[in-house]
Amino acid sequence: ELKVEQNPLFLSMQEGKNYTIYCNYSTTSDRLYWYRQDPGKSLESLFVLLSNGAVKQEGRLMASLDTKARLSTLHITAAVHDLSATYFCAVDNTGNQFYFGTGTSLTVIP
Amino acid sequence: KAGVTQTPRYLIKTRGQQVTLSCSPISGHRSVSWYQQTPGQGLQFLFEYFSETQRNKGNFPGRFSGRQFSNSRSEMNVSTLELGDSALYLCASSSGWGATGELFFGEGSRLTVL
């Protein structure tokens, strides 16, 4: 079964700082997705990465994909409080069966 | 356009009862999938339907079932509820075509089993 690991599980960072969340997965896949979840809410799509070397940026978030290393990163630049949420990566096993990581709970401290 | 709509949003049941959850996908989307989210197990795939056919099923007992109607709306049913079935059940839709495979999630149905 495809395994998806994220680290760290919990991240507390100060406003203005940079940090990276890592997502490793166990089998070959060219599709990786990042989602955000606020407490008590649903999953909001952030990035869709569809090929090796793909890089997407939106505001203070940038995601990249290295399919050879089976690694995706979500980089946070100059964090602000509004970014506090849980972030999930997910890998598509074809047929719309997503395997999700454990999630990274991010808290941005003023 | 309207997003994925799930009903009911919250419900409380007792052990042994059954429950039916409903999901209306984004207009034009023909694929609907269901996920269970719990603090202990995280997000786990239940099943996926496309054009009224179940294409994929996750590792859940037969008490969990689903179906999809001709208008792409989907329902999932859990029979003989157990305490461990308490979870947020998320429905997601996608077009079922093209390269992205992106899933769009509804707000979820939060089930509490007492």
Side-chain angles (χ1 to χ4, degrees):
Chain A
E1 180 180 296
L2 197 159
K3 301 286 187 190
V4 183
E5 294 183 349
Q6 277 181 248
N7 69 81
L9 297 183
F10 300 94
L11 177 55
S12 180
M13 55 191 298
Q14 287 188 308
E15 278 190 334
K17 298 293 186 181
N18 305 333
Y19 209 85
T20 300
I21 299 170
Y22 297 88
C23 174
N24 291 90
Y25 52 98
S26 62
T27 62
T28 303
S29 176
D30 289 335
R31 299 184 179 195
L32 191 131
Y33 308 82
W34 284 95
Y35 286 86
R36 167 184 172 142
Q37 187 176 39
D38 292 293
K41 301 292 187 181
S42 187
L43 295 168
E44 174 192 355
S45 178
L46 293 175
F47 299 108
V48 177
L49 304 170
L50 298 177
S51 61
N52 185 41
V55 177
K56 296 278 185 73
Q57 182 163 6
E58 181 72 35
R60 301 174 187 273
L61 300 178
M62 183 174 72
S64 66
L65 178 61
D66 181 344
T67 59
K68 292 183 172 59
R70 299 176 188 167
L71 170 69
S72 180
T73 61
L74 180 65
H75 186 72
I76 303 155
T77 301
V80 293
H81 180 69
D82 285 352
L83 290 180
S84 296
T86 299
Y87 294 85
F88 292 92
C89 63
V91 177
D92 181 4
N93 187 34
T94 67
N96 281 1
Q97 180 173 345
F98 277 29
Y99 289 83
F100 282 87
T102 48
T104 296
S105 177
L106 170 64
T107 303
V108 180
I109 304 167
Chain B
K1 56 185 177 181
V4 179
T5 304
Q6 292 187 245
T7 57
R9 293 289 313 281
Y10 303 92
L11 62 167
I12 300 174
K13 294 285 187 179
T14 57
R15 280 179 298 176
Q17 288 187 309
Q18 74 165 15
V19 66
T20 298
L21 309 178
S22 180
C23 172
S24 293
I26 291 171
S27 178
H29 283 189
R30 295 171 62 183
S31 171
V32 173
S33 51
W34 290 88
Y35 290 81
Q36 181 196 66
Q37 185 176 28
T38 60
Q41 299 298 317
L43 282 150
Q44 294 186 289
F45 171 77
L46 281 156
F47 24 66
E48 188 256 350
Y49 289 88
F50 180 82
S51 292
E52 302 178 68
T53 300
Q54 186 182 88
R55 296 197 299 188
N56 256 326
K57 189 177 191 309
N59 189 25
F60 278 82
R63 299 185 298 107
F64 292 81
S65 63
R67 58 178 175 169
Q68 187 181 32
F69 302 96
S70 59
N71 61 359
S72 294
R73 190 177 69 85
S74 177
E75 290 181 347
M76 68 163 282
N77 183 276
V78 188
S79 63
T80 319
L81 284 166
E82 301 177 359
L83 295 179
D85 296 333
S86 294
L88 179 66
Y89 290 89
L90 291 164
C91 169
S93 77
S94 72
S95 65
W97 310 109
T100 72
E102 186 177 8
L103 295 182
F104 298 88
F105 285 84
E107 292 292 320
S109 293
R110 186 167 295 280
L111 170 65
T112 302
V113 181
L114 302 176

